[in-house]
Protein backbone atom coordinates (compact mmCIF):
# COMPACT_ATOMS: atom_id res chain seq x y z
CA UNK A 1 0.00 0.00 0.00
CA UNK A 2 1.27 3.46 -0.91
CA UNK A 3 0.27 4.98 2.43
CA UNK A 4 2.22 2.38 4.38
CA UNK A 5 5.30 2.91 2.23
CA UNK A 6 5.09 6.70 2.65
CA UNK A 7 4.72 6.27 6.41
CA UNK A 8 7.82 4.04 6.44
CA UNK A 9 9.65 6.92 4.76
CA UNK A 10 8.60 9.27 7.59
CA UNK A 11 5.69 11.09 5.92
CA UNK A 12 2.61 11.40 8.14
CA UNK A 13 -0.32 9.69 6.42
CA UNK A 14 -3.95 10.60 7.04
CA UNK A 15 -6.82 8.47 5.83
CA UNK A 16 -10.56 8.57 6.34
CA UNK A 17 -11.37 8.69 10.04
CA UNK A 18 -7.93 9.85 11.14
CA UNK A 19 -7.20 13.08 12.99
CA UNK A 20 -6.58 16.07 10.72
CA UNK A 21 -2.90 16.96 10.28
CA UNK A 22 -1.38 20.10 11.73
CA UNK A 23 -1.43 23.11 9.38
CA UNK A 24 1.80 23.49 7.45
CA UNK A 25 2.81 19.87 8.05
CA UNK A 26 3.67 17.86 4.95
CA UNK A 27 1.32 14.93 4.87
CA UNK A 28 -0.09 12.24 2.64
CA UNK A 29 -3.88 12.36 2.51
CA UNK A 30 -6.16 9.90 0.76
CA UNK A 31 -8.64 11.27 -1.77
CA UNK A 32 -11.64 10.03 0.30
CA UNK A 33 -10.50 12.30 3.15
CA UNK A 34 -11.20 15.27 0.88
CA UNK A 35 -14.86 14.27 0.81
CA UNK A 36 -15.31 14.13 4.59
CA UNK A 37 -15.47 17.85 5.27
CA UNK A 38 -11.78 18.15 6.09
CA UNK A 39 -10.61 21.74 5.61
CA UNK A 40 -7.39 21.80 3.59
CA UNK A 41 -7.14 25.59 3.42
CA UNK A 42 -3.91 25.57 5.43
CA UNK A 43 -2.26 23.77 2.50
CA UNK A 44 -1.68 24.98 -1.03
CA UNK A 45 0.38 22.21 -2.66
CA UNK A 46 -0.89 18.75 -3.59
CA UNK A 47 0.39 15.77 -5.52
CA UNK A 48 -2.24 13.37 -6.85
CA UNK A 49 -0.71 9.93 -7.28
CA UNK A 50 -3.76 8.31 -8.90
CA UNK A 51 -5.86 10.90 -10.75
CA UNK A 52 -9.57 10.15 -10.51
CA UNK A 53 -11.66 9.97 -13.69
CA UNK A 54 -14.61 11.69 -12.01
CA UNK A 55 -15.09 15.43 -12.44
CA UNK A 56 -17.07 15.75 -9.19
CA UNK A 57 -14.26 14.08 -7.26
CA UNK A 58 -11.79 16.62 -8.67
CA UNK A 59 -14.13 19.51 -7.81
CA UNK A 60 -14.41 18.28 -4.22
CA UNK A 61 -10.69 17.60 -3.90
CA UNK A 62 -9.56 20.90 -5.42
CA UNK A 63 -12.15 22.79 -3.42
CA UNK A 64 -10.62 21.71 -0.11
CA UNK A 65 -7.52 23.84 -0.70
CA UNK A 66 -8.75 26.28 -3.37
CA UNK A 67 -11.39 28.06 -1.29
CA UNK A 68 -12.41 31.47 -0.02
CA UNK A 69 -9.75 32.78 2.35
CA UNK A 70 -6.87 30.86 0.76
CA UNK A 71 -3.97 33.31 0.62
CA UNK A 72 -1.52 31.18 -1.40
CA UNK A 73 -1.58 30.11 -5.02
CA UNK A 74 -2.91 26.57 -5.04
CA UNK A 75 -0.80 24.14 -7.04
CA UNK A 76 -1.81 20.56 -7.73
CA UNK A 77 0.39 18.12 -9.57
CA UNK A 78 -1.18 14.94 -10.91
CA UNK A 79 0.81 12.01 -12.19
CA UNK A 80 -0.16 11.37 -15.79
CA UNK A 81 2.74 9.22 -16.88
CA UNK A 82 0.54 6.38 -18.13
CA UNK A 83 -2.23 6.26 -20.72
CA UNK A 84 -4.69 5.25 -18.01
CA UNK A 85 -3.90 8.30 -15.86
CA UNK A 86 -4.02 10.62 -18.87
CA UNK A 87 -7.40 9.18 -19.90
CA UNK A 88 -8.68 9.58 -16.33
CA UNK A 89 -7.81 13.28 -16.30
CA UNK A 90 -9.31 13.76 -19.76
CA UNK A 91 -12.56 12.03 -18.71
CA UNK A 92 -12.80 14.13 -15.54
CA UNK A 93 -12.24 17.26 -17.64
CA UNK A 94 -15.04 16.23 -20.01
CA UNK A 95 -17.37 15.71 -17.04
CA UNK A 96 -16.41 19.10 -15.60
CA UNK A 97 -17.18 20.73 -18.97
CA UNK A 98 -20.58 19.05 -19.04
CA UNK A 99 -21.40 20.30 -15.53
CA UNK A 100 -20.32 23.82 -16.44
CA UNK A 101 -22.35 23.81 -19.66
CA UNK A 102 -25.51 22.36 -18.12
CA UNK A 103 -25.50 24.19 -14.77
CA UNK A 104 -23.42 27.28 -15.53
CA UNK A 105 -21.38 26.47 -12.40
CA UNK A 106 -17.61 27.07 -12.66
CA UNK A 107 -15.46 23.98 -12.28
CA UNK A 108 -11.98 24.29 -10.78
CA UNK A 109 -10.54 21.62 -13.04
CA UNK A 110 -11.40 23.78 -16.05
CA UNK A 111 -9.63 26.91 -14.92
CA UNK A 112 -6.51 25.09 -13.84
CA UNK A 113 -3.40 25.56 -15.93
CA UNK A 114 -2.16 22.29 -17.38
CA UNK A 115 1.60 22.13 -17.42
CA UNK A 116 3.51 19.11 -18.69
CA UNK A 117 5.41 17.43 -15.88
CA UNK A 118 8.54 15.46 -16.53
CA UNK A 119 10.20 13.03 -14.15
CA UNK A 120 13.95 12.76 -14.62
CA UNK A 121 14.82 9.09 -14.42
CA UNK A 122 18.39 9.51 -15.61
CA UNK A 123 19.65 9.40 -12.00
CA UNK A 124 17.57 6.39 -10.96
Amino acid sequence: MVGERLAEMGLPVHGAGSKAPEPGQTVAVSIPVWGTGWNGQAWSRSLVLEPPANGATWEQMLGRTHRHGQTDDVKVWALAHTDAFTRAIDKATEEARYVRETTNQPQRLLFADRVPFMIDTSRA
Side-chain angles (χ1 to χ4, degrees), residues 42-102:
W43 293 266
S44 61
R45 305 287 184 266
S46 301
L47 171 63
V48 179
L49 299 179
E50 294 183 28
N54 184 289
T57 301
W58 275 98
E59 184 65 19
Q60 179 74 24
M61 183 175 55
L62 295 174
R64 292 294 172 200
T65 54
H66 187 264
R67 60 191 323 153
H68 182 70
Q70 174 61 268
T71 57
D72 294 328
D73 257 353
V74 173
K75 296 192 184 295
V76 177
W77 294 271
L79 294 184
H81 61 291
T82 68
D83 287 340
F85 287 171
T86 300
R87 284 192 309 269
I89 294 170
D90 289 344
K91 182 177 182 296
T93 302
E94 287 174 25
E95 289 183 8
R97 262 192 214 101
Y98 177 79
V99 170
R100 182 190 62 197
E101 290 169 6
T102 58

Side-chain angles (χ1 to χ4, degrees), residues 6 9 14 20 30-31 35 43 56 69 72 74 83 115 118-119 121:
L6 291 172
M9 295 167 56
H14 296 272
S30 67
I31 289 175
W43 293 266
D72 294 328
V74 173
D83 287 340
V115 180
M118 185 81 157
I119 297 175
T121 59

Side-chain angles (χ1 to χ4, degrees), residues 1-52:
M1 172 180 188
V2 173
E4 291 170 354
R5 185 71 177 116
L6 291 172
E8 288 172 9
M9 295 167 56
L11 186 68
V13 176
H14 296 272
S18 66
K19 180 182 156 232
E22 296 297 319
Q25 179 183 29
T26 299
V27 295
V29 180
S30 67
I31 289 175
V33 167
W34 295 108
T36 63
W38 184 63
N39 182 354
Q41 187 175 339
W43 293 266
S44 61
R45 305 287 184 266
S46 301
L47 171 63
V48 179
L49 299 179
E50 294 183 28

